[in-house]
Amino acid sequence: MSEKIIGILGGMGPEATLDLFYKIIKLSLAEKDQDHFRIIIDNNPKIPDRTDAILGTGKDPLPELIMTAQNLEKAGANFIIMPCNTAHYFISGIQQNVNIPILNMIKESANYVKNIYPSFKKAVLFASKGTYKTKLYNSFFNAKNIEILIPTPPEQDKIMDLIYMVKSGILSEEMKSQIMKISEEQIKKGAQAIIAGCTEIPLILKNEDVKIPVIDPTNILAKKAVEEVKNKK
């Protein structure tokens, strides 16, 4: 049986798509070109803003998400991964319109935290307002007896600003220092881990920046994709 082909439903945003692609490359442990996995990427930045849609201020992204997923299926992908947390709100609608599986990054992240840190009871979520509103993380993490802590509204505004700055190509030490300050406040409230619940967050907050683990769902998704390729079934 030929090796499975990974499909990346990307463009939300392009930096996050690049980050996922790079992580898969690093996890492949390849010694030559031919050892790498075949990956088909549809980097579609024209997908309408997911948060705006969820908050009722923007266009529905589902038709564009479905079309992009179908492109990947037609191109030969055996399964799909999406480096966008908020887009997972639309995952069932996308899945109904393709015949290949879509791996759920949020579900995989909950499984990972429970397996690696079984004693953890509280994790703070750094995410877009769309992700907070849909409570995407709460359902999967609460099922594992992990409480999701939510930053205050002013902190959420600051996180949202930082996300859009990364999307516009800005990365700075000042941005890192702002997110580290919010992190310290969450640690005081009992957070045992920080979930980088927007794919732009790991680009400004690293594990070594804070004294509790930073859970990177993009990296977890990359690992799961590699496992899926290696699983010959």
Side-chain angles (χ1 to χ4, degrees):
M1 183 180 174
S2 59
E3 191 175 79
K4 289 180 185 174
I5 299 169
I6 302 169
I8 298 180
L9 203 171
M12 307 175 284
E15 290 272 4
T17 304
L18 177 65
D19 184 46
L20 175 62
F21 182 33
Y22 186 68
K23 281 167 175 163
I24 293 171
I25 290 169
K26 288 299 173 189
L27 287 165
S28 68
L29 304 175
E31 293 179 5
K32 59 184 186 297
D33 286 351
Q34 291 74 22
D35 294 338
H36 284 282
F37 307 123
R38 183 150 177 225
I39 302 171
I40 299 168
I41 302 173
D42 189 338
N43 185 67
N44 182 3
K46 307 306 179 188
I47 297 167
D49 189 288
R50 285 64 59 203
T51 292
D52 287 349
I54 289 164
L55 297 179
T57 58
K59 192 177 170 187
D60 182 6
L62 186 57
E64 199 75 24
L65 285 164
I66 290 169
M67 186 198 74
T68 313
Q70 288 173 341
N71 286 347
L72 292 167
E73 184 175 16
K74 285 174 198 162
N78 296 107
F79 65 94
I80 292 172
I81 51 178
M82 283 195 302
C84 175
N85 286 266
T86 318
H88 280 69
Y89 176 69
F90 304 95
I91 196 169
S92 62
I94 308 167
Q95 184 66 80
Q96 287 164 21
N97 288 278
V98 289
N99 299 306
I100 55 174
I102 305 169
L103 305 189
N104 190 313
M105 176 163 65
I106 301 172
K107 180 181 179 182
E108 296 303 335
S109 298
N111 291 341
Y112 174 87
V113 174
K114 192 64 180 176
N115 290 339
I116 305 298
Y117 305 105
S119 65
F120 281 14
K121 297 295 179 194
K122 290 184 179 182
V124 66
L125 177 64
F126 287 179
S128 71
K129 288 186 176 180
T131 301
Y132 289 132
K133 184 176 174 65
T134 58
K135 295 185 165 37
L136 287 169
Y137 272 83
N138 299 56
S139 54
F140 286 108
F141 276 77
N142 292 352
K144 304 286 183 186
N145 296 315
I146 301 167
E147 180 188 351
I148 291 291
L149 303 180
I150 304 296
T152 64
E155 287 170 337
Q156 289 181 36
D157 288 340
K158 176 51 66 182
I159 290 167
M160 202 73 206
D161 288 344
L162 293 171
I163 288 167
Y164 281 116
M165 285 170 78
V166 175
K167 284 182 182 292
S168 67
I170 302 168
L171 290 169
S172 69
E173 284 304 313
E174 172 59 23
M175 290 164 69
K176 183 184 285 285
S177 122
Q178 287 176 13
I179 203 157
M180 283 171 66
K181 187 177 175 186
I182 298 171
S183 303
E184 289 301 322
E185 289 302 314
Q186 305 310 313
I187 292 167
K188 287 177 191 169
K189 292 176 183 174
Q192 295 165 291
I194 296 168
I195 302 164
C198 179
T199 37
E200 276 72 29
I201 299 290
L203 302 175
I204 46 174
L205 184 68
K206 310 291 184 189
N207 226 6
E208 60 269 19
D209 295 330
V210 284
K211 56 193 176 194
I212 60 174
V214 176
I215 308 300
D216 179 358
T218 310
N219 200 50
I220 294 164
L221 185 62
K223 285 179 180 172
K224 190 67 185 175
V226 169
E227 283 173 24
E228 189 68 22
V229 173
K230 290 180 175 177
N231 177 8
K232 300 294 183 188
K233 292 178 185 175

